Amino acid sequence: MTFARKKSSGSLSARTARVGKPAKRWGRWGSYLAALGMSVATAAAAQDPPPAIAPQLQLVDRLPARRATPPGEASKTAYLLVYFKEHAHSLFFAVSKDGYRFTDVHDGQPVLSGRDVAEQKGIRDPYLMRGPDGAFYLTMTDLHIFAKQEGLRDTPWQRPEQDYGWGNNRSIILMKSRDLIHWTHARVDVTRLFPAYREAGVAWAPEAIYDPRARKIMVYYTSRIGKGVHSIVYSYADPAFRTLTTEPKPLFAVPRAGKNAVDADITRIGDRYHMFFSTDDGGGHLRQATSARLTGGYVYDPTKVDPEAVDTEAPMLWRRHGTGTYVLMYDVFGARPNNMGFSETTDFRTFRNIGRFNDPGSPMTTTNFTSPKHGSVTAITPAEADRLLDYFKAR
């Protein structure tokens, strides 16, 4: 999710205008809609959401028992990008054999309709990781910002905006797979599951990481109480990845009072955990904090890490296979149209801008899709990439 300090000067289409005028101050944020640089969302929102074209990912009640040894790091030379699109509010997959050229496996169509899995009939902010058991764990935000306009609910938001703010939601989506095609699925309403979070305004941008000390999958996400300040909290998931088993605990908050942290992404590098996130603290949005332990103690670095002159959000870190080079990917939502941007680093102090998808001079390209939003990249094997391509091609 996103924010900015001042309003965009772009005009709104008739449909986008019907989303509702944002308050001058959204809690202690600037307005989301104003920040979105709405020439992007205007174009996206003006489209009808695409229908779910067969095939789709298959939802199952249970997964088969683990049969094979998880692939080793040496074999995971391909990449899977999961993302969503503003007008579709659904899940998309794209694969790459080299980490530079990405091809959507379903020719730019959703692989899973948000209407089939979300309480609000739309998903955002997908994140995919592979656990030590070899299974894939997928997390998503249960939120549809155009649900009223599409006739999916009678109100602008799930709950009253005056009490819970813009873009409020209650649930996150948890999914698990062994082959990237068959998935279990659960919606987790944190406001009902945890009494202390009954008045939570949002549960945004969930991600998952394996905690080697707890020997559990940890799920962390953006939260706020009512319309208050946003921070990052965490819980542990059950082994089946169908619910959260521990009450959310604080993980990170920006040290400056009244400043927000959203869209956290954590990667273990050596003996340190690096958290990248979006904030309204100072110029630009993306910052990092580091800690020697996963569940706390993060030291905030106020230095801006992305090179963009326009608004960014949703940072996500991934490594180029066989190298010490890491790629920081981010949603450049201030670009028109929106795009993914990329910077490379080896020391986490300097970040080399390698451009956006399909920009002149950028090595990062797409072959059959445009304007991906808030996604993640996961290392997979070439065989896993081919399995996805074959599944969607053969049907």
Side-chain angles (χ1 to χ4, degrees):
M1 303 303 293
T2 188
F3 56 84
R5 296 181 304 281
K6 60 182 180 181
K7 291 186 177 181
S8 164
S9 59
S11 62
L12 305 183
S13 71
R15 179 182 171 192
T16 303
R18 291 199 301 271
V19 171
K21 293 182 179 180
K24 290 184 178 180
R25 292 189 65 82
W26 168 28
R28 301 186 186 185
W29 297 64
S31 159
Y32 173 88
L33 286 179
L36 201 51
M38 285 302 295
S39 61
V40 180
T42 297
Q47 305 176 54
D48 290 329
I53 297 176
Q56 297 278 283
L57 300 179
Q58 298 183 35
L59 301 181
V60 297
D61 291 333
R62 60 173 56 88
L63 299 176
R66 192 174 89 187
R67 298 173 185 171
T69 302
E73 290 300 315
S75 66
K76 293 186 285 188
T77 60
Y79 305 84
L80 173 59
L81 166 66
V82 302
Y83 66 98
F84 85 103
K85 287 193 173 186
E86 194 73 73
H87 72 286
H89 280 75
S90 293
L91 180 66
F92 297 76
F93 280 1
V95 295
S96 174
K97 296 297 180 68
D98 62 4
Y100 293 98
R101 181 181 174 91
F102 285 81
T103 296
D104 190 287
V105 302
H106 203 8
D107 200 26
Q109 300 295 329
V111 298
L112 185 65
S113 171
R115 297 197 181 194
D116 293 337
V117 295
E119 180 185 15
Q120 293 201 30
K121 307 302 181 184
I123 64 92
R124 302 174 70 87
D125 319 325
Y127 178 84
L128 180 69
M129 59 88 72
R130 193 197 298 260
D133 58 352
F136 294 94
Y137 296 84
L138 176 67
T139 56
M140 298 182 286
T141 304
D142 188 324
L143 172 63
H144 198 316
I145 68 171
F146 297 124
K148 182 179 180 181
Q149 288 67 41
E150 293 182 8
L152 299 174
R153 63 173 170 246
D154 296 328
T155 57
W157 306 113
Q158 192 170 49
R159 293 169 293 169
E161 184 173 357
Q162 64 267 27
D163 298 321
Y164 297 99
W166 188 95
N168 66 73
N169 75 314
R170 295 186 297 222
S171 300
I172 62 174
I173 296 170
L174 304 181
M175 299 180 65
K176 182 177 179 179
S177 175
R178 298 200 187 280
D179 62 3
L180 294 170
I181 294 171
H182 301 86
W183 296 83
T184 59
H185 160 256
R187 289 192 294 264
V188 180
D189 183 339
V190 298
T191 68
R192 294 179 180 176
L193 191 58
F194 303 112
Y197 281 78
R198 184 174 293 114
E199 296 301 312
V202 299
W204 283 347
E207 294 197 7
I209 187 172
Y210 180 70
D211 183 343
R213 291 186 177 181
R215 296 185 178 182
K216 297 177 181 178
I217 299 294
M218 187 182 102
V219 177
Y220 56 100
Y221 58 93
T222 301
S223 182
R224 71 173 184 240
I225 301 302
K227 299 195 298 182
V229 176
H230 299 75
S231 63
I232 311 302
V233 300
Y234 75 94
S235 300
Y236 288 103
D238 69 318
F241 210 57
R242 291 183 179 273
T243 190
L244 301 178
T245 61
T246 61
E247 183 173 286
K249 294 182 179 179
L251 182 62
F252 177 79
V254 176
R256 289 185 60 192
K259 297 300 181 180
N260 299 272
V262 303
D263 295 352
D265 174 79
I266 302 173
T267 304
R268 184 175 180 175
I269 311 294
D271 60 356
R272 304 287 295 178
Y273 290 94
H274 290 252
M275 176 192 291
F276 291 89
F277 57 94
S278 305
T279 182
D280 54 351
D281 184 22
H285 284 161
L286 305 187
R287 302 289 190 275
Q288 78 173 302
T290 60
S291 176
R293 57 191 179 91
L294 176 60
T295 56
Y298 286 91
V299 178
Y300 175 54
D301 183 345
T303 305
K304 180 177 181 287
V305 297
D306 68 284
E308 297 288 347
V310 297
D311 293 324
T312 56
E313 64 170 348
M316 190 272 162
L317 191 74
W318 49 280
R319 184 174 67 88
R320 294 205 181 279
H321 177 76
T323 76
T325 298
Y326 287 81
V327 180
L328 182 66
M329 179 176 75
Y330 31 86
D331 184 341
V332 189
F333 73 91
R336 292 153 172 74
N338 72 276
N339 203 345
M340 291 291 195
F342 303 87
S343 294
E344 292 183 334
T345 186
T346 57
D347 59 10
F348 297 92
R349 295 186 299 273
T350 56
F351 295 83
R352 183 175 70 92
N353 181 17
I354 59 172
R356 306 171 188 164
F357 271 141
N358 301 323
D359 274 0
S362 174
M364 305 301 297
T365 61
T366 67
T367 65
N368 60 351
F369 67 100
T370 59
S371 299
K373 284 192 63 62
H374 196 140
S376 70
V377 172
T378 304
I380 61 174
T381 67
E384 290 169 332
D386 289 340
R387 183 193 305 143
L388 283 171
L389 290 167
D390 291 344
Y391 174 77
F392 285 98
K393 180 180 179 180
R395 300 189 178 206

